[in-house]
Amino acid sequence: MPALRTALLQSSGRLGAVAENLKALDEAAGRAAAAGAGLLVAPELFLTGYAIGDDVARLAEPADGPAAAAIGELAVRHGIGVVYGYPERDGESVYNSAQLIGPDGTSLANYRKTHLFGCFERESFTPGEQPVVQAELGGVRVGLMICYDVEFPENVRAHALAGTDLLVVPTAQMHPFQFVAESVVPVRAFENQMYVAYVNRVGQEGEFEFVGLSTLAGPDGVARARAGREAELVLGDVDPEFLSASRENNPYLQDRRPGLYASLV
C-alpha cells in the first residue's frame, strides 16, 4: 500500500479573516499537492484565528456551512484531503471543531474538542462528547483530535484500540508548553503504535504566543517531519507497511492487561 504523504501547514493565518484564511489554505493545498501530498492539515481554529474573543459566536459556522463548501471546492481542484480547525455552530452550541474533507469534496469526519483548555475555551465552547472520530483516506485510517486532547493518554489509547493509523491533531500550542511537541507527541506515537500529525499555530496572537514545532511522528517515536518557529509547510510520509511491521514488533497493545486498569475509569 502506498504511503500517504502528509503536509503540515504551520500558520496562524489572519485573525478574524475567514476569506483570507481560505485563500491561504487554497495556496497551501496547491503546493502540497504539487509535492505529492494526499492530505493537508491546518492548525486549530485556522479558519478564524484563535484569539477571536467575543467574535467566536459571530464567526462560527455549521459543519456544512459556506467555508466547508469552499474547502470542498479547493480539495477537488487540487485532488487532496484537507483537515482544518474551525468554530462549529450547532443550534445554540458552539464547538471547537476539526473537519476532514476528502479529495472528492465531501466531509469524511467532523470532530469536536473534548478537553477544553483555559478560560477562553471553557467560556466560548461546549465540549464534545465523542472521543474517537475516524475516516478512511488513501487506505489509511485517520483519527481526529485537537491540541489539549492529545495530552490525555486515555484519549490516544482509545484511538489505538479503535485502529487509528494516523492521528491528526490541529493545535494551538502556546509557550511555555513546547515540550508537548518535542517530547509528548513522539511518545504518544510510540506507545500507541501510530503516526501522529501535530500541526500548530505560530507567532504572537493577542495574549497567546504560539510555539510552532509542528511534528509528524512515526510509531518508532521518530519525527518524520518537524517545523521550526516560523510559518512553513513541511511534509512527511505515513507508511502503512512500516506501521504494520512496527506493530508486529512492538507488543504494547497485545501485552495490555485491561483487568488491572478498572480503577482508571
Side-chain angles (χ1 to χ4, degrees):
M1 187 177 297
L4 175 64
R5 180 154 294 176
T6 301
L8 317 183
L9 175 59
Q10 179 165 286
S11 170
S12 288
R14 184 174 172 186
L15 192 63
V18 173
E20 292 289 331
N21 295 333
L22 286 171
K23 289 180 182 178
L25 197 61
D26 191 5
E27 188 272 339
R31 285 194 288 143
L39 177 63
L40 170 68
V41 184
E44 180 177 4
L45 294 175
F46 180 77
L47 188 63
T48 60
Y50 186 89
I52 51 178
D54 294 339
D55 276 346
V56 168
R58 179 178 67 83
L59 293 171
E61 293 188 12
D64 60 353
I71 293 169
E73 290 175 2
L74 73 86
V76 170
R77 188 163 59 254
H78 298 294
I80 193 171
V82 179
V83 174
Y84 67 100
Y86 73 108
E88 178 196 355
R89 176 167 296 286
D90 185 359
E92 295 301 312
S93 297
V94 176
Y95 299 90
N96 183 340
S97 296
Q99 185 156 212
L100 168 59
I101 303 292
D104 63 353
T106 63
S107 174
L108 301 180
N110 189 69
Y111 171 78
R112 295 166 172 175
K113 190 173 186 178
T114 54
H115 296 76
L116 301 178
F117 178 82
C119 295
F120 164 63
E121 290 190 18
R122 288 193 290 268
E123 292 170 358
S124 301
F125 300 106
T126 298
E129 296 295 334
Q130 188 174 354
V132 177
V133 173
Q134 300 169 311
E136 296 289 327
L137 182 69
V140 172
R141 186 171 294 183
V142 178
L144 298 178
M145 197 172 279
I146 299 174
C147 198
Y148 194 38
D149 291 327
V150 81
E151 297 176 41
F152 292 81
E154 301 91 342
N155 253 22
V156 187
R157 180 52 53 88
H159 271 273
L161 297 176
T164 292
D165 300 318
L166 167 62
L167 184 61
V168 173
V169 190
T171 294
Q173 182 63 66
M174 308 159 192
H175 177 81
F177 304 111
Q178 48 266 32
F179 67 89
V180 175
E182 294 170 337
S183 301
V184 174
V185 167
V187 169
R188 288 284 180 272
F190 177 72
E191 68 190 4
N192 290 288
Q193 287 301 289
M194 61 174 60
Y195 285 87
V196 179
Y198 185 80
V199 185
N200 200 10
R201 307 179 69 81
V202 66
Q204 195 74 33
E205 189 176 317
E207 63 183 288
F208 307 108
E209 181 188 348
F210 300 112
V211 300
L213 302 175
S214 298
T215 303
L216 175 64
D220 53 359
V222 175
R224 297 302 191 276
R226 188 186 290 279
R229 300 296 186 98
E230 305 295 330
E232 59 181 307
L233 184 73
V234 298
L235 297 101
D237 289 338
V238 174
D239 184 345
E241 291 186 6
F242 182 83
L243 178 59
S244 178
S246 182
R247 286 172 169 171
E248 186 173 339
N249 292 326
N250 186 315
Y252 274 155
L253 298 182
Q254 292 85 353
D255 289 350
R256 293 171 63 252
R257 296 181 61 194
L260 300 179
Y261 314 144
S263 63
L264 295 179
V265 293

